[in-house]
Amino acid sequence: MNRFYVMVGVLALVLGIGVFAMLRTGGATAPAAAAGAPPTVVDDSFRGYTLGQGSAPVEIVEYLDFECPVCATFATVQMPTIKDQLINTGKARWRFRDYPLPIHKYSRFAAHAAQCAGAQGRYFEMQDQLFSHHQWAQTGKDPSSLFRDFARDAGVDLKAYDVCMEAGRYAGRIEYSRQEGDQLAVDGTPTFYANGTKLFTSLRRLPNSDDFKTLVDSIVAHSPPKPRAPARH
């Protein structure tokens, strides 16, 4: 009889630990296919989501990590002014590329959540959610359920989102972007390039909106004028 109660007690303890773990992590587990690098990577010709006009004379490419606190600070503090001064005025186009750092446990998972939202035309809404509620990156907890809430608030259809996340549909795309960053000597996040040239390599702080305005204005001022189309007669 005593052995029976001991076994019941042990079982209750194990179940209790399991329930606690589920509550602590939100009751979900990050799908392995979306959390790690895939065994094979195929170029799907995707080169990142962009803001701005295709005719803009300057293209800024940003390699980012969604779990990176510096990336979150840049996105929430500097980007609103950059959008007003450079992107919305047609001076610059901004391209976002994934560069998940190995030191961040859920950076690939966050990038994949953004890509799955992007498949529904909601990439930037999801990006805003991930960066403006960046407390998730400091907890160390599995953010699966929280990201699903972010997707809902971003206007994403959750059924399609769930299928995309479970399948790890864009894991290869994310790894391709990371490998591309390696080839371009990305050495941290965020790293920026203007028309293919790496920026602010000697700057020992996060660049701000004034830095980008000065840079873009200089590039525009020194760019040769575009030839005029011949007049029609």
Side-chain angles (χ1 to χ4, degrees):
M1 184 65 71
N2 290 338
R3 182 179 297 178
F4 172 78
Y5 285 115
V6 170
M7 293 178 63
V8 170
V10 171
L11 180 60
L13 178 62
V14 172
L15 290 175
I17 292 173
V19 170
F20 174 77
M22 288 183 67
L23 291 174
R24 186 173 181 271
T25 62
T29 302
T40 58
V41 179
V42 178
D43 181 9
D44 66 356
S45 300
F46 180 79
R47 293 297 180 267
Y49 289 96
T50 61
L51 288 172
Q53 302 173 15
S55 59
V58 180
E59 178 175 273
I60 306 293
V61 179
E62 177 185 353
Y63 283 84
L64 60 83
D65 177 319
F66 281 102
E67 198 167 340
C68 166
V70 181
C71 294
T73 297
F74 183 81
T76 55
V77 177
Q78 302 300 334
M79 275 303 290
T81 302
I82 290 172
K83 288 177 182 178
D84 288 341
Q85 293 182 337
L86 302 177
I87 297 173
N88 295 342
T89 58
K91 292 182 178 180
R93 177 175 61 256
W94 209 275
R95 187 180 301 274
F96 296 93
R97 301 293 280 144
D98 289 309
Y99 193 80
L101 297 170
I103 61 172
H104 291 150
K105 185 176 181 180
Y106 295 112
S107 58
R108 286 181 186 271
F109 190 54
H112 201 277
Q115 292 290 338
C116 286
Q120 299 185 38
R122 297 287 180 174
Y123 173 83
F124 293 107
E125 291 83 353
M126 190 63 171
Q127 186 191 79
D128 289 344
Q129 290 288 326
L130 290 164
F131 280 143
S132 62
H133 301 94
H134 206 246
Q135 298 89 337
W136 66 267
Q138 282 78 52
T139 66
K141 299 177 181 179
D142 181 351
S144 300
S145 294
L146 189 59
F147 284 2
R148 197 170 187 271
D149 291 341
F150 290 168
R152 180 198 62 220
D153 293 342
V156 172
D157 177 82
L158 292 182
K159 289 185 178 180
Y161 170 86
D162 289 342
V163 171
C164 180
M165 293 297 288
E166 288 297 331
R169 185 173 297 161
Y170 297 110
R173 171 183 291 184
I174 293 164
E175 175 61 13
Y176 183 91
S177 179
R178 190 201 64 76
Q179 292 180 9
E180 177 188 79
D182 283 345
Q183 294 173 2
L184 294 173
V186 171
D187 51 8
T189 55
T191 294
F192 305 95
Y193 295 80
N195 291 348
T197 301
K198 192 175 184 179
L199 302 178
F200 310 122
T201 54
S202 62
L203 197 64
R204 297 192 176 185
R205 59 171 173 80
L206 181 66
N208 57 39
S209 57
D210 289 338
D211 295 321
F212 280 100
K213 186 176 187 305
T214 299
L215 172 79
V216 170
D217 286 346
S218 176
I219 293 175
V220 172
H222 292 88
S223 297
K226 293 182 178 180
R228 294 183 178 181
R232 293 183 178 181
H233 298 286

